[in-house]
Amino acid sequence: DRGNPISYSKGTSVNKTRYVLMVVVDPSTGHVVGLTKKKGPEFLVGRFTFPGGRMEVCESAAAAATREMREETGVHVPVDDWRLVEHRVTPTSELCVLAATSNQVLQARTLEEESVWQLAYERHLDYAREQPSRYAPDFVQVLSAALRMLGLRREASAPAF
């Protein structure tokens, strides 16, 4: 499907760097897989964020997410389980934010350079609002959108007048 960035990989500009960011939640425990970056963009180093990485040439976002999740955390999410949360495009890059549920979240572990954590997602939404310097700038936005996409949180309601 050419209009769906989660499955379509051909036709993306060769000049753009393509990334995936994955939010994997276990609704039964209320945890999400998180990590702290040790290298990469300065605005992420030392902050809580989510696993992610570059897509390979001709790799779909879902296939990249499955590969990166297993490489970074040991958690296996089948390609068909991913849901597109957001697709961001700039002149030089493309980012697909994907979400899935898994009962393996509490088995996530550090396999590469970044430290992997099992974060209680409601608690960390509060912490990220209270101590934003400890989290990726879009942590609350990404996690909230992923939880809505997965049906674990309702849309924010408009204030009553």
Side-chain angles (χ1 to χ4, degrees):
D1 175 1
R2 291 181 89 89
N4 183 355
I6 195 169
S7 62
Y8 187 72
S9 59
K10 298 179 181 86
T12 300
S13 172
V14 179
N15 298 326
K16 289 189 185 212
T17 305
R18 300 166 55 229
Y19 299 97
V20 289
L21 184 69
M22 299 88 66
V23 180
V24 178
V25 176
D26 183 342
S28 67
T29 67
H31 286 81
V32 62
V33 178
L35 56 79
T36 47
K37 302 287 283 181
K38 292 190 178 174
K39 64 178 187 174
E42 186 63 31
F43 70 92
L44 290 177
V45 173
R47 295 179 178 209
F48 286 107
T49 187
F50 303 102
R54 289 185 185 196
M55 289 185 247
E56 295 176 359
V57 175
C58 293
E59 184 177 39
S60 71
T66 292
R67 176 182 54 76
E68 288 285 349
M69 198 70 194
R70 177 164 267 175
E71 288 174 2
E72 292 186 10
T73 72
V75 172
H76 175 70
V77 176
V79 172
D80 292 338
D81 287 2
W82 293 106
R83 300 293 169 257
L84 181 64
V85 175
E86 185 177 354
H87 183 218
R88 302 177 193 171
V89 180
T90 71
T92 60
S93 67
E94 177 180 358
L95 172 69
C96 290
V97 179
L98 306 176
T101 58
S102 171
N103 62 1
Q104 296 181 19
V105 168
L106 294 180
Q107 284 80 48
R109 61 197 185 280
T110 301
L111 295 176
E112 293 185 341
E113 294 179 11
E114 288 95 2
S115 298
V116 173
W117 307 90
Q118 302 89 26
L119 307 175
Y121 57 78
E122 293 294 345
R123 189 174 318 149
H124 278 272
L125 282 169
D126 290 340
Y127 291 162
R129 289 180 186 107
E130 294 167 6
Q131 302 172 17
S133 64
R134 298 191 62 208
Y135 293 83
D138 61 353
F139 184 92
V140 171
Q141 173 195 345
V142 167
L143 181 53
S144 296
L147 293 172
R148 283 191 302 274
M149 174 60 65
L150 296 170
L152 301 174
R153 178 171 280 210
R154 294 196 311 223
E155 292 290 330
S157 57
F161 292 100

